Each structure stands twice: as C-alpha cells, then as structure tokens.
C-alpha cells in the first residue's frame, strides 16, 4: 500500500497568495502531476481525501483554493454534511464569490499553479493532467485550452456552464486543445442542460479533440462529493474508474 504525504502549501500568484493542498506518494521520488480543481464548496476534507486517493495511485496532486481572493479555505463556513436545500445561505454567500472569479483571473492563476508544479521536486518533468468538479470542470476545460503545451489530459465531472452562448464560454477554446478529454455529466443537470452537452460535443468533435463525454444515468449534480446530499456511490466509483484510466493512459504511458 502506497504511503501518502499531504501538506498545506501556499502558491504566489499575480494577484496574491493561494492556499492549497499537496498530496504525493511518500517515497521521495517525483511523480506525474495532477491539478485538481475544486467544486464550489472548496478545499475541505473531502477534496483532500480525493487528492490522497489519487496520490495513492502514483500521482502528485495539487488542490488550490481558487477562491483565495476572498480568504483562505473554507471561504464560507461549511457543515460537515452539506445539504444546500437545508442551508440555502451557503449558495447565497458563495454565488457572488464564484462570479468574481472571471476566466481572465482564473487563467492567470492557472499559470501560477502550473509554474509551481513545474518547480516542485515532488512533480515529475513533463505535462500535467487536470480534473475538475462542478465549477472546477469549467476551469479544467479553460486551462486545457489556455495552456495546451502543458496539459496532457483533462477530466471534468458534473461540470457547470461548459458550453454557454457567452463569448467567454470554455468550449470556444476547443481548437487550441491538444489534451485528451473526458467528461462525466450528471443526469438532467440544470447546470449543464442537454443543449450545452450537445454544443460541447460538437465543438470538441469539430476541432478533432480526442474526447469522450458520457451522461451518468440517475446521477445528480455533485455526485462525486461524499460530504453532500448529492452523492451517488455508484456514479462516484464510475468517475474514479474513468479518471484513473485517463491518467494512466496519458501520464503513465499505459
């Protein structure tokens, strides 16, 4: 069994300092790097546990608090079990914070995260993979299109606003992407309606991007997050199988 080391780290960006969590195998060797983009609820025990699981599979994993401009994690106080229907105030407070993270700011930050990994002795030389959840799936797609020379693979799960009709929609970067992509969509997800799923699929296919997009039947938005009311164990395990397969193929050469 792989021993995993997890530590809190700070990453200097052009706009401040982002707090983050770093997990990696405890063997002292560099390992292929994965940048894990958080969901709206942010850097918390669940995401650290997900990073640890990836590290146990042989990767160095960085999980930044992408909302650092509004404070260190947790940006808003969270209960141990998150049920937005019982606590609508959580999204009321998070909404303006998420909206303040424009694509321009997010991609400046992404450059800082990628530079930090390139300089980290825990991360192997070479391209990086991405995985993102909810808003993080959007960030993963934006990053794959903004830094194509650095990204070998990118995955997104129960993604939100991946292919909108706005001029800053991430699907519009499809022609720049060289990574292999995988998306696991939540079923009947208001954050990614069928029209956006079709728009994303068309854009990636037209650009010749290696990709697979799948809808997880019966899985609600947020299905990977075990500390929320949206969790689906079946869909979560399907996500892990797809993610680990993508990473192994693109970072481990298998």
């Amino acid at each position: 069994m792989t021993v995993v080391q997890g530590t809190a780290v700070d990453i200097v960006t052009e706009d401040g300092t982002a707090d983050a969590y770093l997990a990696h195998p405890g063997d002292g060797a560099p390992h292929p790097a994965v940048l894990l983009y958080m969901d709206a609820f942010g850097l918390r025990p669940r995401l650290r546990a997900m990073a640890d699981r990836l590290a146990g599979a042989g990767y160095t994993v960085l999980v930044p608090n992408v909302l650092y401009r509004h404070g260190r994690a947790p940006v808003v106080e969270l209960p141990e079990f998150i049920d937005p229907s019982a606590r609508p105030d959580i999204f009321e407070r998070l909404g303006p914070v998420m909206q303040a993270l424009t694509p321009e700011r997010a991609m400046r930050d992404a450059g800082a995260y990628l530079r930090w990994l390139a300089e980290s002795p825990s991360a192997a030389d070479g391209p990086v993979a991405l995985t993102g959840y909810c808003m993080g799936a959007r960030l993963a797609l934006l990053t794959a299109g903004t830094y194509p020379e650095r990204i070998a693979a990118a995955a997104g799960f129960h993604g939100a606003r991946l292919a909108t009709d706005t001029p800053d929609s991430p699907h519009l970067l499809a022609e720049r992407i060289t990574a292999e992509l995988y998306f696991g969509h939540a079923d009947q997800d208001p954050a990614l309606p069928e029209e956006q799923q079709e728009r994303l699929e068309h854009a990636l296919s037209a650009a010749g991007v290696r990709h697979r997009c799948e809808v997880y039947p019966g899985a609600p938005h947020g299905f990977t997050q075990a500390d929320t009311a949206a969790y689906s164990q079946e869909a979560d395990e399907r996500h892990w199988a797809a993610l680990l397969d993508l990473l192994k193929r693109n970072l481990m050469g298998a």
Side-chain angles (χ1 to χ4, degrees):
M1 183 176 178
T2 300
V3 175
V4 170
Q5 291 184 349
T7 55
V9 297
D10 283 344
I11 300 171
V12 176
T13 74
E14 293 182 38
D15 298 335
T17 301
D19 50 311
Y21 179 71
L22 181 71
H24 57 88
D27 57 6
H31 292 268
V34 178
L35 176 58
L36 191 159
Y37 278 125
M38 55 181 251
D39 63 350
F41 300 125
L43 184 53
R44 61 194 192 280
R46 170 58 181 170
L47 290 192
R48 294 185 184 95
M50 293 173 73
D52 288 349
R53 181 166 174 174
L54 282 175
Y59 302 97
T60 290
V61 188
L62 181 67
V63 192
N65 167 23
V66 303
L67 303 178
Y68 70 88
R69 291 174 180 84
H70 301 268
R72 299 177 74 86
V75 175
V76 302
E77 184 180 350
L78 297 170
E80 287 188 18
F81 183 77
I82 304 167
D83 183 354
S85 64
R87 289 284 304 277
D89 60 299
I90 294 176
F91 271 125
E92 289 173 4
R93 286 180 287 161
L94 279 173
V97 174
M98 291 188 293
Q99 290 172 9
L101 184 65
T102 63
E104 293 76 19
R105 288 175 175 173
M107 291 305 96
R108 282 204 304 271
D109 293 344
Y113 306 148
L114 293 171
R115 286 191 297 273
W116 192 93
L117 283 169
E119 296 169 0
S120 172
S122 297
D125 293 337
V128 171
L130 313 169
T131 185
Y133 303 86
C134 183
M135 64 176 283
R138 177 180 169 88
L139 296 177
L141 185 54
L142 283 168
T143 304
T146 305
Y147 299 96
E149 72 285 354
R150 291 285 288 123
I151 308 303
F157 299 91
H158 45 85
R161 302 178 63 243
L162 299 180
T164 68
D165 56 6
T166 61
D168 62 358
S169 179
H171 80 285
L172 297 175
L173 297 176
E175 291 187 355
R176 291 176 48 86
I177 293 172
T178 57
E180 180 181 353
L181 306 186
Y182 177 89
F183 289 97
H185 303 320
D187 193 10
Q188 299 181 15
D189 186 353
L192 194 74
E194 189 172 349
E195 66 178 33
Q196 286 197 42
Q197 295 178 22
E198 293 174 354
R199 190 179 291 140
L200 175 64
E201 176 66 40
H202 176 76
L204 296 178
S205 296
V209 177
R210 294 170 296 144
H211 73 282
R212 185 153 54 103
C213 299
E214 298 181 319
V215 177
Y216 289 22
H221 181 77
F223 60 76
T224 62
Q225 300 304 306
D227 59 350
T228 75
Y231 182 64
S232 165
Q233 183 175 1
E234 180 181 0
D236 184 31
E237 288 306 319
R238 180 177 175 181
H239 132 263
W240 279 112
L243 175 59
L244 290 170
D245 181 63
L246 179 75
L247 298 180
K248 185 176 182 181
R249 188 163 57 249
N250 287 280
L251 292 185
M252 299 290 196

